[in-house]
Amino acid sequence: MLDIDKSTVEFLVTEHMADEVKFLLNEKVAEVEKIVEEMKARKINRVYFVACGSPLCACQTAQILFDRYSRISAKAYSGFDFLDQTPYVIDEHTLVIGVSDSGTTEEVYCSVDLARQKGAMTLGLSKDGTGVPLGDSAEFTIGYQGHSIWQMHLFLTYVIACKYIQAAEGENEELTLILNQLQQLPEVLRTLVQTQEESAKQLGIAASKYPFLYTISAGNLLPLAYKEGIITMLEFTRTHGCQLNAAEFRHGPLEVVEAGVPYVFLLGNDESRHTVERTLKFVKKFTNDVFVFDVNDLEVNLHPMITPLVLFVPLEYFYYYLSIAKDHNPDDRRYYGGKVEY
């Protein structure tokens, strides 16, 4: 197994994660509230998120809040999809939120440019906020100044969604609960970072013997499963794999279940849990090559929409140790980052 200092690896959960989320609570929620006031003044009834990679997965998760708790139309687009298949309706009642950690993702800031030209309200979320192309393109910006982008992006988009839905449509007990529990998130994350490493490490080492892994989830964990089972696994561990929706498992995927075919299951605590449990029960009839990440094992007792924020911690540890058990530094790239023209 590769011997490296994990504090030097870019994609890990870090000891600073909890403090970064606390910074958002203390310093950035007020900025969000001003943007929400502007959204209400402009009578925003449509929200488009535009992002790529991990930020897109975060936006897809935040979209669920609009879908589940409001009449406000919302959709998350990959940058090129937004440019190539631009939504028909973009007007003064539309908010387009571009999310890019560096603020330099061309298809994201070009999408924001396009939306602004069509009269939409635009917001850019990036590490620095200003001084980057996304900041120059967007009418409003927020710089989150943190490294743990999954937490940064989910937290901010959650607060925007929850606060605007309540501002536009009235008080909602579940959204109030989510907002209150987001205030608990720093300490919850601090505990998870300290307690989840060893068990996830053992699972990661065990999983490293496989040349591929299927990742299965449902409900509000579908975007996280793509982030971990596709982006993290393919890019950072160079392990082949596929992300599958448990709701569709019996339409194709169940035919390849057999001993030696490995699966990673993500179990949440929303209404889709029984759908994933059904798939897990079927898979276990034929193979023991199964790795389960169950939010109930974390004993956090939080609203189901908080699950993607907390289950992320053991998953990141899992893929880190999977990678180094394969003697691969997760930061080593062959093509990404401009090494080969794309």
Side-chain angles (χ1 to χ4, degrees), residues 136-321:
D136 295 336
S137 299
E139 182 181 2
F140 299 93
T141 63
I142 295 179
Y144 44 79
Q145 301 172 38
H147 172 81
S148 304
I149 62 172
W150 180 252
Q151 307 294 338
M152 303 292 99
H153 297 159
L154 262 190
F155 182 93
L156 287 172
T157 54
Y158 269 34
V159 174
I160 291 168
C162 290
K163 286 186 174 290
Y164 183 62
I165 292 169
Q166 298 206 110
E169 300 192 353
E171 192 74 15
N172 180 295
E173 289 184 5
E174 286 201 61
L175 296 181
T176 298
L177 177 61
I178 293 168
L179 287 169
N180 288 339
Q181 291 186 348
L182 286 175
Q183 297 182 45
Q184 303 171 29
L185 189 59
E187 295 313 309
V188 171
L189 291 175
R190 201 180 308 278
T191 298
L192 292 175
V193 169
Q194 295 169 352
T195 61
Q196 292 302 306
E197 183 172 3
E198 186 57 34
S199 58
K201 175 182 178 179
Q202 297 307 317
L203 292 175
I205 293 171
S208 67
K209 69 179 182 180
Y210 300 102
F212 69 95
L213 291 163
Y214 288 112
T215 303
I216 300 176
S217 67
N220 63 20
L221 290 178
L222 283 171
L224 178 60
Y226 185 92
K227 182 224 174 321
E228 297 293 349
I230 298 293
I231 299 171
T232 297
M233 191 168 70
L234 272 63
E235 179 179 336
F236 292 96
T237 81
R238 289 191 198 160
T239 302
H240 291 275
C242 176
Q243 177 241 352
L244 300 171
N245 185 340
E248 282 293 304
F249 192 81
R250 66 176 177 170
H251 302 288
L254 88 171
E255 281 298 324
V256 300
V257 176
E258 60 182 331
V261 176
Y263 295 87
V264 176
F265 278 84
L266 277 56
L267 276 167
N269 53 350
D270 69 353
E271 296 86 346
S272 71
R273 182 181 176 92
H274 74 100
T275 302
V276 185
E277 288 177 327
R278 179 181 181 179
T279 305
L280 177 59
K281 181 179 178 181
F282 178 87
V283 168
K284 282 186 170 181
K285 291 179 182 178
F286 304 99
T287 178
N288 293 319
D289 302 289
V290 176
F291 303 89
V292 179
F293 291 86
D294 187 342
V295 70
N296 289 345
D297 293 338
L298 304 183
E299 299 180 348
V300 292
N301 193 29
L302 296 171
H303 189 280
M305 284 303 301
I306 308 292
T307 295
L309 289 151
V310 297
L311 202 59
F312 165 83
V313 176
L315 284 166
E316 282 287 285
Y317 279 135
F318 171 75
Y319 287 105
Y320 169 73
Y321 285 106

Side-chain angles (χ1 to χ4, degrees), residues 42-46 48 87-96 115 118-121:
R42 299 192 192 189
K43 299 180 180 178
I44 297 298
N45 58 22
R46 186 177 301 103
Y48 293 134
Y88 179 77
V89 180
I90 299 178
D91 57 20
E92 70 274 17
H93 302 302
T94 303
L95 169 65
V96 174
K118 290 179 175 290
M121 178 179 173

